[in-house]
Amino acid sequence: MYTYKVKQTENKTYFFNFIKKDVTKVYSFNTYNDALIFALSEEIEQFSCIVSDKVETTRKTYKNYYTLKQFEKHCVNNSMHFLNTQKCRLDEKQIANYYFYLIGSNKLEKLKKFKNAKK
């Protein structure tokens, strides 16, 4: 079927910050869901889907899902939907932990962006 590749680039410094180097790692996944969970947890904006040897498409991670900053904002404003409580009593670090918990436990429904229905 399809193969999904996620490229991750890290900046590494060696020798007391005199030598700087970009290291690129490529991860392959068999399912879209696994690639999406990895891209969300590592905060990678896009990944590619390889259909065949000549055809490759790009998938945008945050097209349908919230980024961490967007989730923090919406979680404070609409805590009943995200936390099932009346008021959000969590600080930013706890909200970030909850965001990554939702990703790690494959509960992506709460991270989906709400699209207004057109009339």
Side-chain angles (χ1 to χ4, degrees), residues 6-83:
V6 181
K7 291 183 184 177
Q8 183 181 28
T9 305
E10 292 182 69
N11 296 327
K12 297 232 176 180
T13 57
Y14 303 102
F15 221 44
F16 304 108
N17 293 333
F18 289 122
I19 300 173
K20 295 181 180 179
K21 185 178 180 184
D22 290 338
V23 177
T24 303
K25 294 181 182 179
V26 178
Y27 299 96
S28 297
F29 298 97
N30 292 328
T31 62
Y32 172 76
N33 199 27
D34 291 340
L36 178 66
I37 288 172
F38 181 77
L40 282 171
S41 65
E42 295 294 323
E43 297 180 353
I44 298 172
E45 293 191 18
Q46 62 185 13
F47 57 95
S48 59
C49 171
I50 300 171
V51 178
S52 67
D53 293 337
K54 297 180 181 178
V55 179
E56 183 174 328
T57 62
T58 302
R59 308 280 192 228
K60 295 187 180 189
T61 307
Y62 297 115
K63 181 180 179 183
N64 295 324
Y65 295 97
Y66 289 122
T67 63
L68 179 58
K69 289 184 180 185
Q70 291 172 342
F71 181 75
E72 287 174 352
K73 177 183 154 191
H74 290 290
C75 188
V76 172
N77 293 340
N78 191 2
S79 60
M80 184 59 101
H81 173 70
F82 294 105
L83 302 173

